[in-house]
Amino acid sequence: MSTYKIHPIVMGTKVFDKGMMTYQHGYGTPYTIPIYTWYIEGGDKNILVDTGEMQPIVSEEREKAIGGKIYTFEEGLAKYGLKPEDIDIIIHTHLHNDHCENDYKCPNATIYVHEKEMESVYNPHPLDFRYLEDYVDDAKDNGQIVTLDKDTEVLPGITMIHTPAHTPGGMSVKVETDKGSVLICGFCTILENLDPPKDVKAMEMEVIPPGTNTGPYEAYDILLKARDMADYVLPLHEPKWASMETIPE
């Protein structure tokens, strides 16, 4: 079985209220999150987890806020000698627009996603405005999309796990590396979600659900399970990863 290296590449940012990440906490605090594409290096396939924003805002202020450089899709791949047409596999945590805007640039990729995400992108709930079918139409018409309805080992050492804390079809990605197993969370979180501050723990809360969730009780329980699924757990929008070349280092 191959062991892999995980390279976080910032391909966008969002500036909003911190409470969008931390349910019931942090409201009124401005916060900048990085939007990642994760390049999974190893084996004989070029693999990405999510594809980021098509036209990211690149500014000194935003790069300073996250502590790392912001790339376009093409620039980020070029760091590793790749072009969009070189990508063999795209694994989606979910299909909110900021996670799939560059799919159409990868005509040779097989794209794995939970079937409930495909249902949501074409028939979203009115509360969830983050789905936009335009970003998946080309891949769908080209027959590139493989839908899943359960936990699935996509390749030896890479497993998609259904974790619907943030969206109905949210999938976390467990990757075997030479330093242990790593879980890329399939829900929009930062480190504080998995390791809350003392005042939150004093309320007997072990984790904080994502600010946007499918149901706070269920999301809380899913986070508890995800926390113990791997040796390393990577919240999907944690700024700390923006300055790191490989995780775990």
Side-chain angles (χ1 to χ4, degrees):
M1 182 177 69
S2 298
T3 58
Y4 301 90
K5 293 181 179 180
I6 300 174
H7 304 292
I9 311 170
V10 179
M11 292 185 178
T13 53
K14 284 185 179 179
V15 181
F16 51 26
D17 192 292
K18 188 178 180 182
M20 292 291 289
M21 304 302 294
T22 50
Y23 180 72
Q24 295 189 127
H25 300 279
Y27 296 112
T29 303
Y31 199 77
T32 303
I33 61 166
I35 296 165
Y36 294 105
T37 290
W38 311 81
Y39 169 47
I40 311 299
E41 181 185 10
D44 59 356
K45 302 289 185 184
N46 294 318
I47 305 163
L48 301 181
V49 176
D50 293 338
T51 62
E53 292 186 316
M54 189 192 328
Q55 295 178 315
I57 296 172
V58 180
S59 71
E60 183 178 349
E61 182 180 10
R62 292 196 180 202
E63 291 185 333
K64 182 178 180 180
I66 63 171
K69 183 171 172 53
I70 302 167
Y71 298 88
T72 66
F73 189 62
E74 291 79 4
E75 289 171 345
L77 294 184
K79 283 183 63 181
Y80 300 97
L82 298 172
K83 298 178 180 178
E85 54 267 31
D86 296 327
I87 301 305
D88 299 303
I89 292 175
I90 296 170
I91 297 171
H92 274 307
T93 59
H94 58 294
L95 289 179
H96 281 169
N97 65 288
D98 54 320
H99 293 264
C100 63
E101 288 187 7
N102 291 298
D103 283 23
Y104 78 98
K105 297 178 181 178
C106 304
N108 300 313
T110 300
I111 301 171
Y112 292 90
V113 64
H114 197 283
E115 64 181 12
K116 288 186 178 180
E117 289 302 294
M118 290 300 291
E119 293 170 8
S120 294
V121 82
Y122 286 102
N123 187 28
H125 189 282
L127 286 174
D128 203 338
F129 53 85
R130 299 166 184 82
Y131 289 108
L132 190 58
E133 61 193 54
D134 297 17
Y135 294 119
V136 298
D137 278 343
D138 286 352
K140 179 174 177 286
D141 292 344
N142 292 338
Q144 294 174 250
I145 297 177
V146 176
T147 57
L148 308 175
D149 63 1
K150 58 185 177 183
D151 298 356
T152 302
E153 188 176 52
V154 176
L155 289 171
I158 301 179
T159 302
M160 296 177 67
I161 302 170
H162 190 208
T163 50
H166 178 61
T167 64
M171 298 287 269
S172 294
V173 186
K174 188 174 182 179
V175 181
E176 299 300 330
T177 77
D178 59 2
K179 298 193 177 174
S181 58
V182 178
L183 188 79
I184 300 172
C185 285
F187 33 91
C188 291
T189 47
I190 56 179
L191 277 171
E192 191 171 310
N193 293 89
L194 293 179
D195 185 19
K198 291 181 179 179
D199 61 329
V200 175
K201 290 181 178 178
M203 299 166 63
E204 298 186 358
M205 289 177 58
E206 294 184 52
V207 295
I208 301 174
T212 305
N213 57 64
T214 53
Y217 291 7
E218 181 183 21
Y220 182 94
D221 292 342
I222 291 170
L223 256 67
L224 281 180
K225 292 178 182 178
R227 188 182 62 178
D228 299 324
M229 283 182 184
D231 299 313
Y232 301 90
V233 180
L234 309 182
L236 200 55
H237 292 295
E238 169 56 41
K240 181 179 178 180
W241 319 138
S243 63
M244 298 172 68
E245 186 68 31
T246 304
I247 303 176
E249 287 185 327

